[in-house]
Amino acid sequence: MSTETTFPHGVLSPETVVVAAGRPAAGQDAAVNPPIVLTSTYRGTGPADPADRVYGRYSNPTWDPFEEALARLESAQEPALVFSSGLAAIAAALSLVPAGGVLVMPRHSYAGSLALAAEQAEAGRFTLRTVDIADTPAAVAALEGADLLWIESPTNPMLEVAEIRVLADAAHAAGALVVADNTFATPLVTRPLELGADVVVHSVTKYLSGHSDVVLGAAVTSDEALRARLAAHRTLHGAVAGPFEVWLALRGLRTLALRMQRSQENAGELARRLAAHPAVAAVRYPGLPEDPGHDRAAAQMDGFGAIVCIEVAAGAAAAEKVTEAVSLWVPATSLGGVESLIERRRRQPGEPKTVPENLLRLSVGIEHVEDLWADLEQALAR
Ligand SMILES: Cc1ncc(COP(=O)(O)O)c(C=O)c1O
């Protein structure tokens, strides 16, 4: 199936790209949406060409429209690569660290990324250096002899904002590749490839799909050779996405701009109100002028995202009670869906010990902000 790749009006805004990209080619009676292709293999005779589909672990036509749309949103010159989960995409990206090499990673990266990197470091595959990614001089100093710099911005769940361009330039000067996990920001808010990153990874499970109904991942790069290495990892390690999940992700992507706009507005309003609430000891949200990452976020992001973290003044047990007392907010892990989720992150055994025990991560959804506030207020009052 061919998909539309050019538009006669020149460059389209991201709000339009999410709706228009990856549609089947125009024509009388052409379907408006791509089909779900359920097949494990493809007809073929003679020596297989690298461009042939060959087998379902190598490619699927249902992946193509999503990969094209995500590449356009991330300003990539090559189609994205969809994976069976965000962590599968992260595993492929970590394979870019050579054996015996050095990986520099934010100490507050997503816990699964840290666990996978630590596992490989303990097995002796590479050396892992963790840094405070918001501390640019410390992160730059850690780059000496490094092979790959991992960036997550804002970090999960501490919401630290990295100076992506400065760090990418320093990493390249040190001979290191740069991979950015753009799950929290989405390409509508930050485009790390434009800021110098070589590869962007996503948990598509989150905002890109947007409805908490699929587990998927993606990697994006403009570098043909890097893409080939990531694609080979996907094929050989078998981390391939089901066609139905990818179709759902493209369907979810159609409303990404609207969802991000609404959930960011809600997040900003809730962060302001929470900052003035007596039961809240601290609020982390880069959109608040007093947040340490605010100026950096304002300079490099088109918005501040929709994750807000609070520290409950009365401690961890009280924070846990808040998650039991809410009725509209859903007490659950994950983020980026239309529905608002709340979680005390340290309930997860793998969460870094430097994340406060009383920290609640709020994934702010698209409900009416007054309903979200009323539910939070009554839960905090208990
Ligand atoms: C920032 C970030 N990256 C990656 C992942 C992993 O993605 P997945 O759960 O789709 O494997 C997550 C999951 O929470 C995440 O928050």
Side-chain angles (χ1 to χ4, degrees):
M1 185 194 66
S2 67
T3 53
E4 256 180 18
T5 52
T6 53
F7 295 93
H9 334 288
V11 180
L12 298 176
S13 61
E15 290 82 353
T16 307
V17 171
V18 294
V19 176
R23 299 270 180 199
Q28 184 68 26
D29 278 344
V32 171
N33 291 304
I36 302 173
V37 180
L38 296 171
T39 191
S40 63
T41 192
Y42 306 91
R43 287 173 182 270
T45 57
D49 186 88
D52 291 347
R53 292 203 181 274
V54 184
Y55 183 55
R57 188 160 36 75
Y58 304 1
S59 79
N60 183 293
T62 319
W63 300 348
D64 302 354
F66 180 80
E67 291 181 337
E68 180 200 320
L70 183 57
R72 289 175 69 105
L73 291 170
E74 289 286 6
S75 304
Q77 303 305 311
E78 296 284 324
L81 290 160
V82 67
F83 285 78
S84 54
S85 68
L87 210 53
I90 287 164
L94 287 180
S95 77
L96 300 174
V97 185
V102 174
L103 167 68
V104 177
M105 204 172 213
R107 67 185 168 132
H108 291 137
S109 301
Y110 164 60
S113 313
L114 280 170
L116 183 60
E119 184 196 84
Q120 297 190 18
E122 277 156 29
R125 207 180 82 66
F126 52 64
T127 300
L128 172 63
R129 292 181 194 153
T130 55
V131 293
D132 174 356
I133 202 70
D135 183 345
T136 304
V140 169
L143 285 169
E144 199 185 325
D147 296 280
L148 195 146
L149 170 65
W150 196 268
I151 293 177
E152 200 179 296
S153 186
T155 56
N156 178 7
M158 299 295 271
L159 299 174
E160 295 138 335
V161 180
E163 236 173 330
I164 299 179
R165 184 175 291 286
V166 176
L167 292 175
D169 288 350
H172 290 150
L177 286 172
V178 179
V179 177
D181 185 331
N182 202 26
T183 300
F184 266 39
T186 85
L188 295 186
V189 175
T190 311
R191 283 162 302 284
L193 296 183
E194 291 177 2
L195 299 171
D198 301 293
V199 177
V200 163
V201 292
H202 278 282
S203 171
V204 176
T205 314
K206 309 293 175 2
Y207 292 103
L208 299 181
S209 296
H211 296 76
S212 305
D213 51 9
V214 295
V215 173
L216 274 181
V220 199
T221 179
S222 288
D223 184 313
E224 201 180 338
L226 282 180
R227 185 183 187 277
R229 288 171 67 187
L230 295 166
H233 192 279
R234 177 176 73 177
T235 301
L236 281 175
H237 292 250
V240 294
F244 185 54
E245 280 79 1
V246 183
W247 187 89
L248 276 177
L250 183 65
R251 181 185 162 120
L253 193 72
R254 301 301 185 206
T255 55
L256 177 66
L258 282 174
R259 288 186 284 106
M260 284 306 287
Q261 186 186 345
R262 173 63 167 257
S263 48
Q264 289 188 102
E265 280 168 15
N266 283 353
E269 183 59 29
L270 293 179
R272 277 187 291 278
R273 295 187 191 185
L274 286 163
H277 196 288
V280 176
V283 179
R284 292 167 194 271
Y285 182 64
L288 292 177
E290 61 272 25
D291 189 89
H294 178 73
D295 292 348
R296 209 175 264 178
Q300 116 190 336
M301 299 167 75
D302 299 326
F304 299 105
I307 306 292
V308 178
C309 290
I310 59 171
E311 287 171 43
V312 175
E320 194 62 49
K321 284 215 174 79
V322 173
T323 68
E324 290 159 13
V326 287
S327 55
L328 174 62
W329 290 75
V330 181
T333 197
S334 199
L335 55 110
V338 289
E339 71 292 325
S340 295
L341 303 181
I342 186 166
E343 183 185 34
R344 190 178 71 84
R345 279 304 293 170
R346 285 293 298 281
R347 75 187 264 267
Q348 303 282 356
E351 196 68 1
K353 303 288 175 269
T354 42
V355 172
E357 284 275 11
N358 61 345
L359 181 138
L360 294 177
R361 185 181 69 191
L362 279 57
S363 170
V364 182
I366 64 169
E367 303 91 336
H368 197 293
V369 70
E370 296 303 339
D371 294 330
L372 291 174
W373 178 244
D375 193 30
L376 266 186
E377 248 196 331
Q378 65 79 24
L380 285 166
R382 293 199 210 176

